[in-house]
Amino acid sequence: MRARALPSSSATLPEASFLFSELSSYLKREEVSELQNAYLFSQSAHSGQFRKSGEPYISHPLAVASILGKLRLDTQTLTAALLHDVMEDTHISKAEISDRFGSPVAELVDGVSKLDKIEFQTHADAQAENFRKMLLAMARDVRVILIKLADRLHNMRTLEAMRPEKRRRIARETMEIYAPIANRLGLNNIYQELQDLSFHYLFPTRYRVLANATKAARGNRREMVRMILDAIKQRLKVAGLDAEVSGREKQLYSIYKKMVEKHLTFSEVLDIYGFRVIVKDVPSCYVALGALHSLYNPIPGKFKDYIAIPKANGYQSLHSTLWGPYGTPIEVQIRTPEMHRIAEAGVASHWLYKSSDADLNDLHMKTHQWLQSLLETLSDSTDSLEFLEHLKVDLFPGEVYVFTPQGKILALPKESTAVDFAYAVHTDIGDCCVAAKINGENAPLRTVLRSGDRVEIVTASHAKPNPAWLNYVVTGKARSHIRRFLKTMQYEESAKLGERLLNQALGALRVDPQTIGAAQWEKLARDSGAKSKKDLLADLGLGKHLPAVVARRLATPGVSVDGTNGANDVITILGTEGMAVQFAKCCRPIPGDSILGFIKKDQGLVIHIHDCPAVSKIKGNPDNWLDVAWGKDITRHFEVSVKLMVANERGVLARVAAAIAEAGSNIDNVGMEGDGVYTTMTFMLQVRNRHHLAQVMRSLRRISEVAKISRMKG
Ligand code: MN
């Protein structure tokens, strides 16, 4: 094949050639060529796109990959870094990335793209911690966070191209969210650079003043630094140590912070000189410490042994502060090359490229080992405990972070549903919720929420909590409010039923309820251990007392009346009594059935069909049994069970369902049991009454496959 001349925009950038030659210092040749493929793929996907600065877009993913290359990360991470914006900005799909570069890379790119979709507006500081947690929780693979941090770092380095207000917004977000994440993961260099860049754009004037002052001071300091450096090197040599010694420049933001927090002047902060000593192993660290303590006097109380007791993010070093020449304080850090690597790269140092088969299991193992090592080194310091507490939340998320429509974040326990969310927003919203919209789409209230979901609750003023919610809510707040509401509702409904039951019993004794005085009620309530007349009526409705017994005690001689102006002989059932009246699950009575009422202790009135098999089994006080009848004009629907035997034909369930719908009924539940030629279907249907049920059955009989229909009672 003849090579075609490439248009200039698809020429490999010089930075790319530089990166690939750098990477070949620790990657195999075939891995570097894989990365070159990813580079060309990304370049062509982004072709024609430019950054705000005018550079071709590919320069950005390339820079991100090179930041991660400096951390010596594995090929998958670097490939994903090169591709990290293609899903967002071009037509390339996850499947295509997976086909070309493997599914681990596709997962990483997808993870970064998902994080990008979260819109960060300006948020209160209190929200920042939740954001950090959410970011970490959403990224199952820590490498996603590493790519995201490198992405942010490069965007911060090139922030100058943005409009001033956008610069400030991004800088603030970086300071509040990304820099602390970098710190938490021990990515010291990235952390400090993010902080300094944010400081630069948040407080441009302060930054400039400090930068100039530091530059000016550096000249004066140079001689002093050289002198101390020479003295240290000389002393370590005498002690027989092969050491690498360097002076440390203070970061502008940390100077600024020290001035603000410790109320120090610029020269007081700058008057501290920092040096770092790297020696080959742990024993040498202590030898070096001894040597330096004999060179300059240590300041008491300033020595810290982070080798014996590492910081929770794995950091190890010896720290000491000495009195240098002319009484200048000198801070020294002594560590091994291994400790240095961890101090600079933190969690990334555990992902260092080691072998080519760094698959996901390996990755999980490394995460696990890292956490394990944290646990082992957990010292008694409260700082570490706090860190670990965060870390557990971050890497093993027990919480989900979701948005309100206003963009506020709520942290909820794992497995929380839309109902939990509604109660978390406000009790009134929970009590009146009827539906949810999750990320703009309608969803059932029982839907389990996931981090990043935007949840909107639809309420209706007449709506009430549903007892069924108790089956799936997980937060204590939702649970206790639903319970409390049901209890109040049950109380009201029971009191109403109790009154009706009592009036009926009084009617049987030919007593007019109106003739019973307040004093009589009060006495009876007291005697029965109830607080008030209403309490007593509620107890009656709940079956704690029997209406007939209470009626007899109230019907004192002298108030008896003759005639027929007493209450009805039977209790009428309207189906609107709520929780005070239950329809027995064994026979499921519907209007039109002849029925019986049974007062069950603590549950109230339970309605059965008169020939329900369960009825004959329930024995006991005849006072427990009540004559009941259906009221007129009942409009609600009742559940009824219907059993069908149908020939096992293709599409028969659909025809059955259609017939039911045609007859104006709803299906609540279907069960099927097949045994070859015939299938038995059991439906839970919603009907208004016996007449309606008959219509449904007629409609079902018209289906030729239906061999047998029966209503199930008991
Ligand atoms: Mn990017």
Side-chain angles (χ1 to χ4, degrees), residues 658-677:
I660 291 169
E662 210 173 280
S665 170
N666 285 327
I667 302 172
D668 270 354
N669 207 341
V670 193
M672 293 219 274
E673 243 172 73
D675 58 346
V677 185

Side-chain angles (χ1 to χ4, degrees), residues 51 57 60-61 64 84-85 89 112 116 148 151-152 155:
R51 302 202 85 213
Y57 197 87
H60 166 65
V64 173
H84 81 269
D85 276 332
D89 300 344
V112 177
D116 282 340
K148 187 68 207 161
D151 177 46
R152 176 50 61 115
N155 286 336

Side-chain angles (χ1 to χ4, degrees), residues 350-368:
H350 297 265
W351 271 264
L352 286 190
Y353 173 84
K354 272 180 193 127
S355 65
S356 59
D357 55 359
D359 60 0
L360 273 180
N361 283 336
D362 190 23
L363 185 75
H364 284 152
M365 210 184 68
K366 282 177 183 165
T367 315
H368 187 72

Side-chain angles (χ1 to χ4, degrees), residues 418-435 445 457-460 463-466 469 473 477-478 481-482 485:
V419 175
D420 292 293
F421 174 88
Y423 275 102
V425 173
H426 199 279
T427 311
D428 292 345
I429 294 186
D431 282 345
C432 295
C433 66
V434 288
L445 285 171
I457 295 294
V458 183
T459 57
K464 290 171 190 159
N466 185 331
W469 294 351
V473 295
K477 188 175 180 192
H481 275 104
I482 297 166
F485 183 89

